[in-house]
Amino acid sequence: MDRGKPFFHPYIPNTVPEIRAEMLERIGVTDVEELYQAIPKDLRFKGKLKLPKPYPSEYELKRHVLSILSKNKTCEENLNFLGGGCWQHYVPAVCDEIIGRSEFLTAYGGTAYSTFGRMQAQFEFQSLMGELVGMDVVSMPGYSWGSAAANAVRMASRMTGRREILMPKTVSPERLATIRTFCKSTCEETGIAIQLVGFNKETGLLDLKDLEKKISSKTAAVYFENPSYLGFMESQGSKISQIAHRAGAESIVGVDPISLGVLAPPSDYGADIVVGTAQPLGIHMNYGGGTLGFIASRDEEKYVVEYPSWLISLAETVKEGEYGFGFSRFERTSYIGRDKAKDFLGTVAGLWTIAAAVYMALMGPRGFQEIGEVILQKSHYAINSLSKCKGLKVLYRSNAFKEFVVNFDGTGKKVNAINRGLLKYGIFGGKDISKDFPELGNSALYCVTEVHRREDIDKLAQALKEVISK
Amino acid sequence: MKRLPQLREYHSPVWSEPIIMEMGRKGERGILVPEAEEEIRASVGKGKAYIPEKMRRKQSPGLPEISQPQILRHYLHLSQMCLGMETNIDAEGTATMKYSPKINEALARSPKMTEIHPCQDEDTVQGILEIIHKLDLFLREISGMDQFTFQPPGGSMATFANACILRAYHAARGEGAQRDEVITTIFSHPCIAATAATAGFKVITLMPDPTGYPDFEALNAALSPRTAGLMITNPEDTGIYNPRIREFTRAVHEAGGLCFYDQANANGILGITRAREAGFDACHFNLHKTFSAPHGSFGPGCAAYGVLKELAKYLPKPVVTYDGKKYHLDYDRPESIGKLREFHGNIPAVLRAYSWIMGMGAEGLLEVARTSVINNNYLTKLLEEIPGTVRYYAPGEYRLEQTRWSWEKLTKDTGVGTLDIQRRMVDYGLQSFFMSHHPWIVPEPFTPEFCESYSVDDMDYWAAVLKQISDEAYSNPELVKSSPHRAPIHLVKYEGLDDPSKWAMTWRAYIKKRVK
């Protein structure tokens, strides 16, 4: 912008000089500087911020941003087999339509009256998710699956007065890292210790003997995931919960809810607290920005009072038969409790919550059954195809849901070299887990969902054969 | 001045929507799922066969069965019963409800943003890494900090990150167990106290001096060898800027602590004053407030958390780096506090903030700040004239971007309180104002913030509505107390919300309790 020229911006109505003069006059000052008199002179920023020359016209701005964004290569333009906590599922157009609505997109907190619609939609998320996980209390989701799991283990710790958590070594490294951050404290006595439990090298399932050995009267909770990070279904859920309960510990299960049309809800195998993400339910990957994480439990006061989350409750109004909404036991939260609160709360993931509600409504019971079925069929077709490639071995293949571990030890090639080779075919190969799970050798975590067609999987198998043989 | 604005004859849509669980008929479908191809089915058979017997779902989930047009209509109705920032004058304080430019929304919805996976090869995401890195550079300039992360998905998570870094910093110096106290003020966001406590700190909360300023003597009394750090807002939620801020940060440093600046209230000081010069070691901005990303019905937000060089090694991983040719994700950070959440952050908000700054430039940011401060002080003139209002603290002093007001006088005079007025505003098509964080040190509080997006006419209208409600309180208090009357619903009976035999966080719980 030229120096000396008055500054106008279409986003700022009151930059018009006449309006500004009128406002300053009403305030009773001649210059805006007078309003800043509280800020000491030596703290005032001298000069002009060194920022790039802006693009004041919307057209130029769009050209500029698109010129950078266009350097991204997307999962739509390529064939993607990455999952591991952020998954490529189909997002129905209705989900995008609803969360694109100004009213939802640009509302914030408001009240039960001013943002009534968002509260009902978010209550509906809680209700729909309650049916999938088989629990009567579901929170409005927080930040991510990992942070929800972290909140849940802290809930268990407060409830039991114990400070140790057990979880399988197969837990997602990203989620484990998040849980660790929340379990540390300024000193050992107030922190929560995390102990990892071994797993069966053949099946991936939790080593029950190791669990029995490690569990004690100090254990606050056992946390495990279903399907697990490595893709297999943990079929010993009832036994794990029994072992936890016998020791007076809580059983916490993390789930990917896209599986729950065909997989048993955690409430069937003894879970006390369920956590999970809803990203697969109508939310784009957004470079990992589509995360959110809910907490669910039985409808018992001892659980409810430990939630750090927003809990939207259906309520009556003064008009007979009318639905209203409000927050239950809000004094739990950091908005009231400050340093005495249950963990902390803030701006969470309201828009994604609404998208997931729409998704669950669209899918219905049959949609969830069908998507579970088709994911199983396609992933097992991929498992069979890849198993036939020379040098490849698929681990935990018999009970995989949508992800599975492919071991490349027999190829003499590293995963990153394989993946670089696949890129030339326009394929994003599975996530390299060799460093996170050295005991699994040179391995990658592959993800197959309903978005993959048979020819995509065949193309992957063919490309792998060629890359390996090079 | 101009004529008084005429009040609108607003009435919210009242759709009396059922809960989604009550809708539809058996057999209806909202969407169909792609089937596995014939060859796949022939080759692998039934998918269910791969589920271990014990893991099979016995009962189909009790979800409703509804066709697509009815689902769409239901959620459109719900959206119509929600006042978004774009459909009304939304002056919720501490929230900076600014316009989220539509062009940035369109960019954020591009498949080049939405269809990228966080574990893709660096070579395939150079565009988004460039945007992340450049926004980091912009914010370094705006704050004076040396490096930013965008991993925190909201402001609270940024203050939590800071508490974790305080812990790591003192532990590395062998003072981890000793320095276990965090100091904050009562007018800083409550999440600061909560996140510090979650990280294991004891929290000392300073009360203001009688004029509403942070109390320097109280700070000095609180400092000790146990002090890990100070975590505060400035201007505080009262809109009052602490002019002794440099003395505060100096005193904390002398006591061996670090200083963290919650810049949720930064909209009035962009390009005016910076965290570095005020002596802070770390700060955060909310991209969903100050930098125009939308609030999304309570998220997803995104906080940019920045630190001085000495603390950069503790930032959550990965961080984006640039070697002059290519952008990288650096995971090799042994002293990092680890992860606050999975992956890199709410990156669409980073994209929007980048685009917003590129549309504004340095001069634009300065005008944002100036305009928001002018707006707030202009509004002061309008609100002062409304019977029953009191501007709390620091008489005669200007406020920055927001002001803490009180209806104390109106409540004494009429029995109508701030909660009543908050509801009544909806009858005039306005978003309810933000009252105050807890506890209510200022009685019957409200805190308007008219950021740069609002016009003089918007403010005149908003003030005219409050004037009208004040008049109603004096002439017919029951009208305000029994409000809302033109909202999507009537006054909620709150008693049931805290009663385990009545509360219902899901429809299934509601059905069980209703049948009893």
Side-chain angles (χ1 to χ4, degrees):
Chain A
M1 223 148 295
D2 297 335
R3 275 175 133 340
K5 228 166 98 182
F7 181 92
F8 290 103
H9 200 286
Y11 306 156
I12 317 179
N14 295 344
T15 43
V16 176
E18 292 74 22
I19 301 174
R20 181 159 288 195
E22 189 186 316
M23 293 175 79
L24 289 174
E25 194 190 334
R26 181 74 196 265
I27 297 168
V29 295
T30 51
D31 193 301
V32 58
E33 273 302 306
E34 292 173 56
L35 303 177
Y36 282 117
Q37 64 196 17
I39 303 177
K41 287 222 162 47
D42 59 337
L43 295 190
R44 287 298 300 269
F45 181 67
K46 314 283 186 306
K48 197 171 155 185
L49 292 171
K50 289 184 199 69
L51 295 173
K53 194 172 177 301
Y55 296 93
S57 84
E58 186 170 309
Y59 171 72
E60 286 175 291
L61 180 67
K62 184 178 176 184
R63 282 280 294 258
H64 164 74
V65 177
L66 281 179
S67 74
I68 304 177
L69 267 188
S70 65
K71 295 173 194 168
N72 292 339
K73 298 183 171 68
T74 71
C75 297
E76 268 182 6
E77 301 155 337
N78 294 270
L79 201 46
N80 169 49
F81 294 96
L82 290 162
C86 176
W87 302 276
Q88 187 179 10
H89 287 283
Y90 178 67
V91 176
V94 177
C95 293
D96 280 336
E97 177 71 23
I98 294 300
I99 65 167
R101 292 284 294 191
S102 266
E103 298 91 334
F104 285 149
L105 179 68
T106 66
Y108 198 25
T111 60
Y113 314 94
S114 62
T115 58
F116 170 78
R118 74 110 180 161
M119 287 185 75
Q120 178 162 343
Q122 290 163 349
F123 170 79
E124 291 181 351
F125 169 91
Q126 296 175 185
S127 296
L128 293 155
M129 187 59 80
E131 298 299 329
L132 284 178
V133 299
M135 289 292 191
D136 285 358
V137 173
V138 179
S139 74
M140 184 170 153
Y143 307 111
S144 70
W145 179 343
S147 74
N151 288 141
V153 303
R154 291 178 62 95
M155 286 169 69
S157 172
R158 289 192 295 268
M159 288 173 69
T160 57
R162 301 174 179 186
R163 300 202 160 269
E164 273 182 28
I165 302 292
L166 295 176
M167 58 183 75
K169 274 185 186 156
T170 54
V171 79
S172 144
E174 292 257 337
R175 293 194 283 271
L176 176 58
T178 305
I179 296 168
R180 282 194 195 285
T181 306
F182 275 78
C183 285
K184 282 201 192 104
S185 189
T186 46
C187 60
E188 251 173 61
E189 298 84 74
T190 52
I192 298 172
I194 298 168
Q195 261 206 82
L196 299 180
V197 181
F199 62 101
N200 183 308
K201 298 286 178 292
E202 296 307 309
T203 61
L205 300 180
L206 186 80
D207 180 345
L208 294 176
K209 283 205 183 103
D210 195 33
L211 176 65
E212 296 265 28
K213 207 168 79 193
K214 285 174 176 160
I215 202 163
S216 74
S217 59
K218 290 179 184 163
T219 310
V222 179
Y223 168 71
F224 63 101
E225 300 176 339
N226 221 345
S228 70
Y229 175 71
L230 298 178
F232 61 84
M233 294 172 260
E234 174 55 79
S235 51
Q236 312 171 112
S238 294
K239 278 197 189 129
I240 297 169
S241 295
Q242 265 172 27
I243 294 169
H245 292 153
R246 222 182 294 139
E250 299 288 310
S251 170
I252 305 174
V253 179
V255 290
D256 171 356
I258 199 99
S259 69
L260 289 175
V262 292
L263 296 199
S267 51
D268 276 14
Y269 48 91
D272 301 298
I273 305 175
V274 180
V275 298
T277 179
Q279 182 270 324
L281 312 183
I283 300 154
H284 296 274
M285 293 178 289
N286 285 303
Y287 200 46
T291 63
L292 70 166
F294 64 86
I295 307 174
S297 70
R298 290 189 299 277
D299 192 356
E300 292 170 21
E301 194 175 1
K302 66 175 181 175
Y303 289 100
V304 169
V305 296
E306 295 300 337
Y307 276 71
S309 333
W310 300 94
L311 291 171
I312 300 176
S313 178
L314 191 59
E316 296 175 340
T317 77
V318 294
K319 188 178 170 196
E320 176 86 35
E322 190 175 68
Y323 294 136
F325 300 95
F327 299 112
S328 282
R329 293 289 170 95
F330 194 59
E331 75 283 356
R332 301 167 285 112
T333 72
S334 54
Y335 284 95
I336 307 277
R338 300 180 79 101
D339 50 314
K340 304 290 182 290
K342 311 296 178 180
D343 302 353
F344 60 88
L345 186 54
T347 303
V348 280
L351 201 64
W352 300 154
T353 302
I354 295 171
V358 176
Y359 184 89
M360 289 186 276
L362 285 167
M363 292 290 277
R366 280 175 62 198
F368 272 98
Q369 281 158 1
E370 287 173 9
I371 202 163
E373 174 74 15
V374 75
I375 288 171
L376 279 159
Q377 286 174 319
K378 288 181 171 179
S379 60
H380 282 270
Y381 178 78
I383 287 168
N384 291 346
S385 304
L386 299 197
S387 299
K388 287 179 199 138
C389 299
K390 204 169 158 237
L392 299 194
K393 199 178 155 208
V394 177
L395 309 181
Y396 323 129
R397 51 177 295 176
S398 64
N399 55 343
F401 177 66
K402 75 176 174 187
E403 289 174 280
F404 50 89
V405 176
V406 181
N407 178 278
F408 293 85
D409 285 345
T411 69
K413 287 193 161 73
K414 296 264 184 225
V415 173
N416 57 8
I418 302 266
N419 280 351
R420 267 201 304 275
L422 288 174
L423 254 188
K424 297 195 179 110
Y425 293 80
I427 295 173
F428 300 159
K431 183 176 163 50
D432 188 351
I433 57 168
S434 327
K435 276 191 195 136
D436 288 327
F437 296 92
E439 61 270 52
L440 302 183
N442 193 28
S443 293
L445 183 64
Y446 272 74
C447 173
V448 172
T449 76
E450 80 283 7
V451 304
H452 295 98
R453 295 180 57 85
R454 177 190 160 226
E455 65 250 35
D456 300 336
I457 297 166
D458 292 349
K459 185 181 167 184
L460 169 68
Q462 183 58 33
L464 272 172
K465 275 180 204 154
E466 291 172 25
V467 169
I468 289 164
S469 65
K470 262 180 202 162
Chain B
M1 290 303 290
K2 297 180 312 243
R3 65 186 164 80
L4 275 179
Q6 196 179 354
L7 297 188
R8 294 166 189 255
E9 292 186 40
Y10 173 82
H11 200 302
S12 165
V14 180
W15 285 112
S16 307
E17 275 300 300
I19 304 296
I20 192 94
M21 312 303 285
E22 303 174 274
M23 292 173 58
R25 296 285 182 104
K26 196 167 170 43
E28 286 184 41
R29 298 293 301 266
I31 193 156
L32 300 179
V33 175
E35 284 183 9
E37 292 88 337
E38 181 63 51
E39 299 85 340
I40 292 184
R41 280 182 281 147
S43 150
V44 302
K46 282 218 180 342
K48 264 189 204 151
Y50 297 91
I51 306 175
E53 175 59 34
K54 283 182 204 149
M55 275 303 293
R56 287 185 197 157
R57 186 159 191 137
K58 307 287 181 303
Q59 253 187 338
S60 119
L63 299 172
E65 298 172 75
I66 320 166
S67 299
Q68 199 169 102
Q70 285 66 33
I71 293 172
L72 179 67
R73 189 198 298 149
H74 172 70
Y75 285 104
L76 289 176
H77 285 174
L78 292 187
S79 75
Q80 289 175 343
M81 293 188 282
C82 182
L83 288 173
M85 177 274 163
E86 284 170 356
T87 53
N88 86 107
I89 303 167
D90 189 335
E92 288 171 275
T94 75
T96 316
M97 302 301 295
K98 74 173 60 184
Y99 175 55
S100 301
K102 285 291 145 190
I103 182 59
N104 298 344
E105 184 60 24
L107 292 166
R109 285 178 160 242
S110 150
K112 290 286 188 184
M113 176 70 254
T114 61
E115 303 310 310
I116 48 177
H117 188 283
C119 303
Q120 275 180 229
D121 188 286
E122 284 171 5
D123 285 344
T124 66
V125 287
Q126 285 294 302
I128 198 65
L129 294 181
E130 180 177 339
I131 283 170
I132 295 170
H133 179 68
K134 286 186 169 163
L135 184 63
D136 174 8
L137 297 181
F138 296 174
L139 295 177
R140 292 181 198 184
E141 176 67 9
I142 292 167
S143 65
M145 295 291 115
D146 294 319
Q147 190 162 18
F148 276 82
T149 173
F150 301 103
Q151 202 176 104
S156 298
M157 199 64 118
T159 69
F160 182 58
N162 191 75
C164 294
I165 286 184
L166 276 182
R167 208 170 53 195
Y169 170 82
H170 292 299
R173 297 158 62 93
E175 296 186 333
Q178 173 201 325
R179 294 199 177 267
D180 64 349
E181 289 181 352
V182 163
I183 303 170
T184 186
T185 66
I186 197 77
F187 287 132
S188 294
H189 197 288
C191 74
I192 289 180
T195 53
T198 302
F201 289 102
K202 193 173 150 258
V203 178
I204 299 173
T205 303
L206 306 181
M207 298 304 279
D209 73 14
T211 53
Y213 285 92
D215 190 334
F216 188 55
E217 302 316 314
L219 173 75
N220 277 324
L223 289 171
S224 80
R226 292 182 64 177
T227 303
L230 175 74
M231 294 171 66
I232 51 168
T233 317
N234 191 31
E236 295 198 291
D237 288 356
T238 52
I240 296 173
Y241 185 89
N242 175 6
R244 299 178 73 180
I245 190 63
R246 193 69 190 87
E247 291 170 70
F248 273 64
T249 54
R250 198 175 293 131
V252 172
H253 286 151
E254 279 165 11
L258 295 176
C259 299
F260 166 73
Y261 193 171
D262 171 353
Q263 296 216 256
N265 300 339
N267 208 47
I269 53 173
L270 297 172
I272 298 283
T273 183
R274 311 195 305 173
R276 174 182 282 271
E277 285 75 23
F280 287 96
D281 305 289
C283 76
H284 96 270
F285 297 105
N286 288 324
L287 300 186
H288 53 286
K289 294 178 179 172
T290 316
F291 295 96
S292 90
H295 289 71
S297 288
F298 233 79
C302 182
Y305 174 73
V307 293
L308 294 180
K309 229 180 353 248
E310 300 72 41
L311 298 177
K313 61 186 172 187
Y314 299 117
L315 286 175
K317 57 187 175 183
V319 295
V320 177
T321 58
Y322 181 52
D323 65 10
K325 285 189 197 124
K326 251 183 74 174
Y327 297 90
H328 304 280
L329 286 165
D330 180 9
Y331 284 91
D332 186 19
R333 303 174 64 81
E335 292 182 78
S336 162
I337 57 165
K339 300 290 294 183
L340 299 165
R341 53 164 284 173
E342 297 89 311
F343 310 119
H344 316 302
N346 176 18
I347 303 304
V350 172
L351 170 66
R352 289 178 176 102
Y354 172 85
S355 185
W356 185 75
I357 293 175
M358 286 307 295
M360 304 302 296
E363 198 180 354
L365 293 190
L366 194 58
E367 285 311 317
V368 164
R370 287 173 172 163
T371 308
S372 70
V373 172
I374 292 172
N375 282 0
N376 183 42
N377 286 286
Y378 173 83
L379 183 78
T380 297
K381 291 291 161 190
L382 306 183
L383 295 188
E384 273 171 355
E385 288 173 8
I386 297 176
T389 62
V390 181
R391 194 181 74 146
Y392 241 72
Y393 298 133
E397 299 291 333
Y398 298 114
R399 301 294 188 269
L400 293 185
E401 87 297 354
Q402 62 187 347
T403 302
R404 172 88 14 107
W405 291 81
S406 170
W407 291 109
E408 189 177 20
K409 181 169 184 319
L410 183 103
T411 307
K412 270 186 200 139
D413 293 347
T414 69
V416 170
T418 194
L419 277 159
D420 302 317
I421 299 170
Q422 207 195 26
R423 289 196 311 276
R424 181 63 174 156
M425 291 171 78
V426 183
D427 289 338
Y428 292 98
L430 290 184
Q431 178 57 263
S432 305
F433 50 51
F434 175 70
M435 297 182 295
S436 161
H437 287 121
H438 287 265
W440 284 5
I441 307 291
V442 172
E444 303 300 325
F446 71 108
T447 315
E449 177 186 1
F450 274 92
C451 66
E452 76 280 4
S453 308
Y454 297 98
S455 68
V456 173
D457 293 338
D458 291 341
M459 287 186 280
D460 289 348
Y461 184 78
W462 199 84
V465 168
L466 288 203
K467 167 79 168 55
Q468 167 74 17
I469 298 173
S470 164
D471 290 348
E472 289 169 358
Y474 281 100
S475 61
N476 183 5
E478 216 29 57
L479 177 70
V480 185
K481 283 178 158 178
S482 59
S483 69
H485 307 288
R486 302 193 294 259
I489 55 162
H490 298 79
L491 189 57
V492 173
K493 292 181 179 171
Y494 289 102
E495 313 83 71
L497 294 173
D498 291 333
D499 177 353
S501 73
K502 284 188 181 146
W503 70 37
M505 273 69 95
T506 55
W507 180 253
R508 56 197 274 145
Y510 175 74
I511 293 297
K512 284 178 192 169
K513 289 174 188 180
R514 194 180 57 176
V515 168
K516 267 187 204 164

